Amino acid sequence: MLQRADTVGLFQVESRAQMATLPRMKPDHFYDLVVEVAIIRPGPDRRKMVHPYLNRRAGREPVIYPTHRSSRS
């Protein structure tokens, strides 16, 4: 049901943006839904975070972790 975006009336994942993302994300774990609900918000969406996340999750884009540089040398 969630992977097909058949979510009309289902709290938290019934908006058009949520429904549009579900088939692309294909959630198969509870944590996938947590991320999907968190990322489809005005803040992350305005910052263009959704597409990079989906591309990295699918392996179409590399995941690059920031390195920590100590201010003490």
Side-chain angles (χ1 to χ4, degrees):
M1 178 179 97
L2 289 166
Q3 289 183 352
R4 291 189 318 268
D6 183 14
T7 59
V8 172
L10 188 61
F11 181 69
Q12 288 291 341
V13 288
E14 64 180 343
S15 75
R16 289 185 188 267
Q18 297 283 356
M19 290 170 71
T21 304
L22 285 166
R24 296 184 311 189
M25 186 176 213
K26 294 181 179 63
D28 60 358
H29 291 83
F30 179 74
Y31 185 72
D32 295 338
L33 293 175
V34 172
V35 170
E36 202 262 347
V37 168
I39 203 165
I40 305 297
R41 302 294 232 175
D45 197 33
R46 237 181 281 137
R47 290 184 181 91
K48 308 296 183 212
M49 295 171 62
V50 176
H51 295 294
Y53 173 78
L54 291 174
N55 287 334
R56 290 172 186 148
R57 184 175 187 272
R60 292 184 296 262
E61 198 174 292
V63 176
I64 301 169
Y65 296 97
T67 57
H68 176 69
R69 289 186 153 188
S70 175
S71 58
R72 299 180 211 177
S73 296

